[in-house]
Amino acid sequence: MTTIPTTTLNNGVEMPVLGYGVFQTPLQQTATHVREALEVGYRLIDTAQAYGNEEGVGQGVRDSGVAREDVFITSKIWVSNMSYERARASIDESLRLLGTDYLDLMLLHQAWGDYPGAWRALEEAYADGRLRAIGVSNFYLERVIDVALLAEVPPAVNQIETHPFRQQDEAHRVLSDLGIAHEAWAPFAEGQNNIFANPVLTEIGARHGKTAGQVILRALMDKDVIVIPKTVRRERMEENLDVFDFELTDADKAAFAALDDPSFPRIFDHYDPTTVRWLLGELVKKQQLGGAALY
């Protein structure tokens, strides 16, 4: 079985550099796919309150027979819980649904609403051991700097859109300076731009006997980016894990870097008013917004 390398977070916790994501996994199939992923060799499972499948993730972990302490579980607090009190209650609910006494990593899913208040709830749960590490997701640089420099406990991770066409080199530089691990969601760009048939990626892969997808994962990890590809097919789970037996050349890495395209549209754009209205609509529907608390 493949041994997945780990990276050391800023609080000393070891996190696998490659994991299994369950975004949009059908609820009734989540437990099965998580069990399969763990059987194949994954040890990092990434879910979120908004996915609605935390319970299935917990069941899949139990069904796998893998010891809880050997599985790194991440979840995320959704915008409807983005205040101190709601975030605090939602942490307990996530633990209940997952059937575990602790989470290895809990992130704030979006940087909207009273995220400073929600961050204080994360800090409390971190202090009492219910969360081994805390971090953020989809926080653009001004927001992540805000939390990193003003909060009592800085984020350990920022999970952001990162793939060949949006490699996030500037964000990576800032995150590295702050001691925050860079984690990629949608490392395959959700299949956009005919990514798996991209000639640069397929040509690199052909030289190493690998697929375009495997080249993407290897290249991102070589840039110190944690990756969480999602699939519901066991053969793809195995393929995505089979990326530690080859090395990219400097020429390969340069060709990969050249795919970065600042004009490539964001999959989920937090600067887009329509997107923000939707997020804030979800927030307002479930809580009454007041002034954001200070750290």
Side-chain angles (χ1 to χ4, degrees):
M1 183 178 291
T2 300
T3 299
I4 301 174
T6 62
T7 187
T8 305
L9 302 180
N10 57 17
N11 65 348
V13 168
E14 295 292 321
M15 181 176 181
V17 299
L18 189 155
Y20 180 68
V22 297
F23 176 55
Q24 294 181 331
T25 299
L27 299 186
Q28 66 276 18
Q29 299 174 19
T30 300
T32 297
H33 295 314
V34 168
R35 173 183 56 77
E36 289 179 332
L38 292 169
E39 288 173 350
V40 166
Y42 292 87
R43 290 297 180 265
L44 161 60
I45 307 295
D46 181 276
T47 185
Q49 294 172 354
Y51 302 168
N53 57 18
E54 288 175 312
E55 191 168 12
V57 167
Q59 188 62 54
V61 172
R62 291 188 293 276
D63 290 348
S64 74
V66 178
R68 170 66 186 91
E69 60 268 24
D70 293 332
V71 183
F72 191 105
I73 302 176
T74 300
S75 194
K76 311 176 194 74
I77 292 177
W78 185 232
V79 292
S80 57
N81 295 317
M82 209 61 70
S83 71
Y84 171 73
E85 292 294 344
R86 287 181 177 273
R88 188 179 179 187
S90 79
I91 293 168
D92 289 336
E93 179 64 3
S94 286
L95 293 173
R96 184 189 71 81
L97 290 170
L98 286 158
T100 182
D101 295 330
Y102 68 94
L103 274 174
D104 299 277
L105 177 65
M106 180 67 98
L107 310 176
L108 299 185
H109 207 152
Q110 309 283 346
W112 297 107
D114 182 13
Y115 68 86
W119 187 258
R120 294 204 321 277
L122 288 187
E123 289 179 327
E124 287 185 3
Y126 173 69
D128 66 26
R130 287 177 295 150
L131 305 177
R132 295 181 65 227
I134 57 179
V136 295
S137 177
N138 297 308
F139 273 50
Y140 290 166
L141 290 181
E142 63 272 21
R143 298 290 177 97
V144 75
I145 290 171
D146 178 17
V147 182
L149 299 183
L150 296 178
E152 181 177 340
V153 179
V157 172
N158 188 17
Q159 186 183 117
I160 54 177
E161 177 187 343
T162 310
H163 48 73
F165 313 123
R166 185 172 293 280
Q167 296 183 30
Q168 300 275 24
D169 289 342
E170 175 61 15
H172 187 88
R173 182 189 65 77
V174 174
L175 293 174
S176 296
D177 182 63
L178 294 169
I180 299 171
H182 177 179
E183 184 175 15
W185 62 259
F188 297 146
E190 297 190 346
Q192 295 185 31
N193 212 22
N194 203 19
I195 191 169
F196 296 113
N198 181 277
V200 173
L201 298 172
T202 56
E203 287 170 13
I204 294 173
R207 289 195 290 272
H208 297 280
K210 296 294 180 178
T211 66
Q214 289 170 315
V215 169
I216 292 167
L217 298 178
R218 178 75 264 174
L220 290 175
M221 288 187 293
D222 283 349
K223 297 178 75 167
D224 294 324
V225 177
I226 300 164
V227 291
I228 46 171
K230 176 253 179 179
T231 181
V232 296
R233 295 164 49 196
R234 189 179 182 116
E235 61 269 25
R236 285 295 298 276
M237 294 180 193
E238 294 171 346
E239 176 186 311
N240 291 341
L241 200 59
D242 185 23
V243 292
F244 298 105
D245 61 349
F246 74 108
E247 294 184 5
L248 298 176
T249 66
D250 289 343
D252 294 335
K253 293 176 182 180
F256 181 85
L259 293 174
D260 195 25
D261 180 4
S263 68
F264 189 81
R266 299 175 190 271
I267 293 172
F268 202 87
D269 190 352
H270 293 77
Y271 290 132
D272 173 57
T274 300
T275 299
V276 176
R277 286 190 187 101
W278 176 77
L279 282 172
L280 295 183
E282 290 292 299
L283 189 68
V284 171
K285 278 192 295 186
K286 295 185 179 179
Q287 75 180 91
Q288 186 172 3
L289 288 174
L294 298 176
Y295 289 108

